[in-house]
Each structure stands twice: as structure tokens, then as C-alpha cells.
Amino acid sequence: MKKHRTLIIGLDGATFDLIHPWAQAGHLPTFAKLMAQGVHAPLRAWPNLCSAAAWSSIVTGYNPGQHGVFNFVDALPQVGTKWRPFTAADRKKDPFWRFLSASGKCVGVINVPITYPADPINGFMLSGMDTPDIHSPGFAHPPALRGELQDQGIDYVIDVPRLLLSEGGNPHQVPRPIQRMMDGHSRTILHLMKTHPWDALMAVLVVTDRVQHFCWPAEGVSFEKPDWTPILSIYQQIDSFLSKALELIDENTTVLIISDHGFGPLFLARRCLNQLFAQLGLLGYRSGATRLTNKLLERVLVYGRKIIPFSLQKSLAKTFSGLHHRAIHEHDLSSIDWSLTKVFYSPHMGTLTINLKGREPEGIVLAKDYDPLRKQIQDILLNIKDPVSERQLIKAAHLREDIFHGPYLEKAPDLVIEWNSEVLQNSISYSVGKEPVIIQPPKRVDAGERWTGDHRPYGIFIAYGPDIKRGSTVSNATLYDIAPTILYLQDHPIPKDVDGRVLIDIFTEDHLNRHPIQYSEPPDIQWKVSATELDADETRKIEERLRGLGYIE
């Protein structure tokens, strides 16, 4: 009897809003085939719209309160806070590949976010975007894998460098750094699929996210316009890649295609919240020379990155380490006077935080006022409207304990905002007395100024294989369901305490009858892959990548 294999392809930020119309138009024949001959459904990502949290939930089956990863960094980069990038060492739940490897299965993992350093699994692994660089000792398992790719002439890069700051190029073509990454990552996946044994293989292409962040056309631009060419080109290249991958598998392989969130046009209304809080006396801004100094540091930092060669930036940062540290840590939320601030919102990280005394570096809110203040802010948020349509901009403002659970709940934002993406535009309106106050977004000087697209609450899910229903859809699929479903496909017991479930509706009735779901107590593998923390240079490399991508300011 042939063994059953599982191929999981992650497409960061892929959306059915593009796949469906382009597949129907004949631009994506492989996607069309997989959907027609398999199962597809929207995959609920909210409230985990940050890729670090989302992929960690996808590979473990747990919510961030259980696995501990809510964002790319461990704290808001504000004055007085020491912060560092998250890596796999911060994820407190085991991903599915550790279970499979421990049970004797051969596993491959390629470019999944928050996987550095690579696990010593029975198989092979290339860590993801939290890797300092390809020469880092934890990038590849086994270590010889990096040399193997070089011998194949594969130009592998961790991610696109400083894409937001790159100038020039044809706006109707795929940016060169994105194309380079697409070529290197797709060739790597196909090469390892062909040359290494595997029972389960998961690989993530992040090009979809990058090209959509920077190349999403203005709202209302039709698909026939050349503005869509960069994004369409990447989707077509992925379609071709999927066709080649299908040629490398047999009839006993199930294919899952997933994304960690959806995508749509970027609207700036989210950047108006702090100004609203200031008008309502809940947030204060600095004034005078202090604010001027901080603004000057902001501009030196931002524009210095644009004009100073990257090779010189490291030495300058060391020479002027004090100013560099201050500029980095003052840049996000740098104009805020914390002694006057009760609540603040970080647009890049999507977090709403109470400035709680004893927890935040300059907290002023007493513990007894914490819950009443959250209720007050909930009421404010639910009364924010779009100035034109007068429709409510925020569907709900959830208390964190109503959304997340687990031992790491205290790492969650104090309030979790559920934006109404269908209404969101570039300004907000709030009624104070009889007259509404209309707030426009602040002028942006940060690296994210060139984003044109942003995350949406639903990603994609496609399943195709011998035991998968044909031409069907399912409902209520979430990120948490992926890991249990992968374990089930590999005949492995499901940990009893996972937040997700096996997506039984995608399977034929005969398969479910022959393969009942098994459950077990959650084993604690938690390999100590590295006891060494990131050094200063490694931290700087990851910070610069996250900043260049627009994920932190």
C-alpha cells in the first residue's frame, strides 16, 4: 500500500477577490482546476491579521494566547521599552511537523514565518523571514542544504530588502526584488520536492503579500488596466509553479493551498485614532523643542535610509549608537507625551494599548481604572463613522479576553478592533455634541508611506486530492483548523486541547469512515533548537527587514 503524502503551499496574503475573477477569465488555469476538482472556501484569519500570529496559529492549531506570538516583535517600540524580533524560540506550542517528525514521518518545511532557527526534524527545513540572513547557522537543516541550493544555481534570498525605499522601475512590471525572490523560492521548492524524500511538505511563498502591499491599484481600477499587471503576473507565475508541483506528486497526495489573510486597498482611516483620542483628552502630544527634536530624528532616520548606501548604515549606527537607538525607539509614536496619555494605537502593529501604570514604561492608568477605561473606549470606537456614508467604521471593539485565551493572554492588545473593511476610507467622523469632528490622517513620513494595499479578514483555503470532495465548498474554516487537518491527513492523533478542528466537510464519507479521527494528550516536544539569543547584529538585520517591509516603523 502506497503511503499518503500531504503538500501544503502557503501563499501569504492571497485572496479569492483576485483568484476567482482571474480564474474565470482563464488567467489562472491551475487554480481553476484545483477549485473545480477539489474544495475551496474562505479561511477566516481575523483576529490574527498579523502574519507572525497567523502563521503561528496555522502551524500549531492554537490561538496566540496559547502559542504566545501576537506580532513580529515582543513589545511596542516606544521610549523605555527594550524590544526584539520574535523567532521560533518564542513560539510556545509545537508545530505539526514536530509531531510528525517525532513519529517517524519525513517532513519538509520551507520559508514558513517564525521558524528561525530551523528545527532538527527528520527531513529538511529552511527557516523563514525571521532569519537574519542565509549565512546564519540556523537557516538550514541540514546545514549542507544551503550549499546544495547554490550548486543548483538557485539565487535564494530570505525576503525583499528595503523594498519600500527602492525607487524607479516600471510601475506596470513586477518590482525586480520581488521577481528575484519569486524565482529563487519557487525553484527551491520544486528542487527539494524532486530530490528529497517527504511525507508532508509545507512551503510558503510570501511574494503575494509583498507585491500586493506595494502595487495594489487605487480603488475602482478595473482589472483590464495595466495597474494590475504586477499582481496578475505574480499570480500567473504561482499558477505555473502549482502546475509544475502537481506534476511531481502521485495520486496518493493531498494538496492544501492556504493564505494567512486576504488583501485589499489600503485606507488611512486607521491612522486617525490617536488624533481622535487627543481631541477627547485621552492622549497628549509633545510640544516645543522636544517634539521638534524628535521630528528631526524621525526625518534623519527615514531619509538617511533612502540616500545613505546600505553598506555604510551599519558603521554609522555604531558610531552614533546613542542617536540611532533614540531615533529607532522614538520613531513609532514619537510625538506622544506619555504623561498625558491613557490609550494609544499603533497603526503598523494594529494594536490598541492602555497606558497602564506598572506595565508600560511611562504608564499613568491605575489598575482600578483599567476596565472602566476599556468600556469608555469601546463606546467611542463604536461611534466612529465614515464622514461620507455615515456608516459605522468599526464592527466591534472586543476585550482581549473575549477573543484570546491561554497563559500568554497578557501579551494581547487590550482591545481588539474589528474594522468594517467595506466602509473604511481615509478619514473618520466622531460626534462630539451636535457637530461631528472629522479627522484626516496625519502626514506620513515613515517607511510605510508607499503601501497601497493592506490585510483583510479572510484568506484562502483549497484542498485537492484522492479523498477530497469534488467541486464543493465548506463554511466556517479558520486558521486554527489547518494543523489538525494536516495531522489527520497523516493519520496522526490530534492534541485534545487545540483550538482548531479537523475540516471533516472536505473529505468524502468513505474516507471518514475508514479513517476515524484520533485524539491524544498534547505531547510537549519543544526542542531546544537554540539556547542562544539573537546578537545585536542579527537583531539589526531582522529589524531592518521588518522596517523595510513596512511592518514596524
Side-chain angles (χ1 to χ4, degrees):
M1 181 178 178
K2 289 186 177 181
K3 62 181 179 181
H4 188 93
R5 298 202 298 178
T6 308
L7 174 64
I8 309 102
I9 301 295
L11 304 176
D12 200 305
T15 172
F16 280 132
D17 290 344
L18 301 182
I19 292 173
H20 279 151
W22 284 340
Q24 291 170 4
H27 298 313
L28 305 176
T30 310
F31 276 106
K33 169 187 172 180
L34 293 170
M35 291 188 293
Q37 299 182 14
V39 172
H40 69 282
L43 188 66
R44 183 173 173 85
W46 190 91
N48 305 302
L49 294 189
C50 168
S51 290
W55 286 112
S56 296
S57 290
I58 285 172
V59 302
T60 65
Y62 294 90
N63 85 95
Q66 295 264 48
H67 62 62
V69 178
F70 285 90
N71 223 305
F72 285 106
V73 296
D74 69 339
L76 286 169
Q78 62 191 98
V79 181
T81 302
K82 291 183 178 180
W83 60 285
R84 58 178 177 78
F86 270 138
T87 66
D90 298 289
R91 190 186 55 234
K92 305 305 181 184
K93 287 291 186 179
D94 288 308
F96 70 85
W97 56 78
R98 290 182 178 176
F99 297 143
L100 297 181
S101 177
S103 67
K105 296 293 181 77
C106 190
V107 188
V109 183
I110 305 169
N111 196 44
V112 178
I114 315 298
T115 51
Y116 180 82
D119 284 335
I121 53 176
N122 178 34
F124 57 90
M125 185 169 182
L126 298 176
S127 57
M129 62 179 291
D130 51 315
T131 307
D133 61 48
I134 62 171
H135 302 288
S136 300
F139 165 59
H141 168 76
L145 210 55
R146 182 171 66 87
E148 179 181 334
L149 298 181
Q150 290 177 330
D151 292 342
Q152 292 295 316
I154 296 175
D155 180 21
Y156 193 96
V157 294
I158 300 297
D159 213 312
V160 288
R162 297 170 19 128
L163 185 63
L164 286 169
L165 306 182
S166 61
E167 302 292 341
N170 187 335
H172 298 150
Q173 292 181 352
V174 177
R176 285 188 296 273
I178 292 180
Q179 186 60 61
R180 177 189 177 195
M181 182 167 65
M182 175 67 203
D183 294 340
H185 286 189
S186 59
R187 287 187 62 194
T188 295
I189 297 167
L190 295 174
H191 169 71
L192 296 177
M193 282 182 66
K194 287 188 291 186
T195 58
H196 290 252
W198 53 273
D199 296 304
L201 189 155
M202 179 176 185
V204 175
L205 293 171
V206 298
V207 286
T208 31
D209 179 88
R210 309 305 184 250
V211 75
Q212 290 174 148
H213 266 311
F214 311 132
C215 301
W216 195 280
E219 187 182 21
V221 173
S222 68
F223 285 138
E224 290 73 30
K225 297 293 184 181
D227 307 59
W228 284 103
T229 302
I231 298 177
L232 173 59
S233 175
I234 287 296
Y235 273 84
Q236 288 180 309
Q237 291 179 60
I238 291 173
D239 193 86
S240 176
F241 156 78
L242 291 173
S243 177
K244 295 174 183 176
L246 292 178
E247 294 174 359
L248 298 177
I249 62 175
D250 60 22
E251 67 277 5
N252 292 301
T253 303
T254 296
V255 179
L256 302 181
I257 301 175
I258 56 177
S259 68
D260 55 331
H261 52 74
F263 239 92
L266 172 70
F267 296 116
L268 302 181
R270 302 182 190 193
R271 300 184 69 91
C272 299
L273 287 186
N274 284 340
Q275 290 171 277
L276 174 61
F277 293 149
Q279 292 212 18
L280 298 177
L282 296 171
L283 181 148
Y285 286 110
R286 294 173 177 171
S287 59
T290 301
R291 184 174 186 182
L292 184 62
T293 300
N294 289 324
K295 286 296 181 184
L296 180 61
L297 280 172
E298 282 185 348
R299 284 162 174 77
V300 168
L301 184 68
V302 171
Y303 296 113
R305 290 194 181 111
K306 290 184 178 181
I307 63 176
I308 298 173
F310 187 70
S311 59
L312 296 178
Q313 290 185 24
K314 179 179 176 182
S315 60
L316 286 172
K318 286 185 175 179
T319 303
F320 302 100
S321 58
L323 279 176
H324 181 259
H325 180 271
R326 183 176 172 189
I328 290 289
H329 291 80
E330 292 257 3
H331 184 50
D332 189 27
L333 313 172
S334 62
S335 299
I336 291 178
D337 184 338
W338 301 105
S339 67
L340 301 174
T341 295
K342 295 181 178 181
V343 60
F344 57 98
Y345 182 72
S346 176
H348 272 56
M349 300 178 74
T351 52
L352 197 150
T353 305
I354 302 297
N355 195 24
L356 187 63
K357 189 172 183 178
R359 184 187 69 180
E360 305 303 323
E362 299 180 60
I364 65 169
V365 176
L366 300 177
K368 67 180 181 64
D369 298 323
Y370 176 76
D371 284 330
L373 179 58
R374 287 200 300 172
K375 180 62 173 67
Q376 178 188 356
I377 295 166
Q378 275 184 310
D379 293 339
I380 292 170
L381 294 173
L382 294 178
N383 282 288
I384 296 174
K385 297 181 179 180
D386 174 67
V388 178
S389 68
E390 297 187 349
R391 293 175 63 187
Q392 189 172 316
L393 277 181
I394 293 174
K395 292 181 178 180
H398 303 271
L399 303 180
R400 63 182 182 177
E401 60 268 27
D402 293 338
I403 300 296
F404 305 111
H405 65 90
Y408 303 101
L409 176 63
E410 75 279 357
K411 294 183 177 182
D414 294 302
L415 286 164
V416 182
I417 299 176
E418 188 173 1
W419 293 92
N420 189 345
S421 299
E422 296 179 358
V423 179
L424 209 60
Q425 293 294 323
N426 291 325
S427 58
I428 65 175
S429 172
Y430 182 81
S431 295
V432 180
K434 294 182 179 180
E435 294 296 323
V437 174
I438 297 177
I439 297 177
Q440 303 293 336
K443 183 179 179 181
R444 305 172 71 186
V445 299
D446 56 85
E449 63 187 304
R450 288 186 57 190
W451 271 18
T452 59
D454 205 2
H455 300 178
R456 291 293 187 271
Y458 284 90
I460 70 167
F461 174 80
I462 301 173
Y464 168 87
D467 302 306
I468 303 298
K469 293 177 180 176
R470 293 174 62 91
S472 181
T473 61
V474 296
S475 58
N476 302 318
T478 76
L479 302 182
Y480 308 139
D481 302 330
I482 302 303
T485 302
I486 294 170
L487 291 173
Y488 173 69
L489 280 164
Q490 286 292 308
D491 292 319
H492 193 283
I494 316 301
K496 290 181 178 180
D497 66 339
V498 292
D499 293 313
R501 62 188 175 92
V502 177
L503 292 170
I504 58 174
D505 292 340
I506 72 174
F507 296 100
T508 62
E509 187 173 344
D510 177 65
H511 179 79
L512 291 171
N513 289 335
R514 288 186 290 109
H515 298 270
I517 301 173
Q518 307 170 63
Y519 295 93
S520 66
E521 294 299 325
D524 184 16
I525 300 172
Q526 281 294 315
W527 290 325
K528 304 303 180 185
V529 292
S530 176
T532 306
E533 293 186 358
L534 296 171
D535 63 30
D537 189 49
E538 291 173 324
T539 298
R540 179 191 61 81
K541 289 176 181 177
I542 300 173
E543 283 186 19
E544 288 295 332
R545 180 180 302 127
L546 293 174
R547 189 169 289 108
L549 291 170
Y551 290 138
I552 60 175
E553 288 187 283

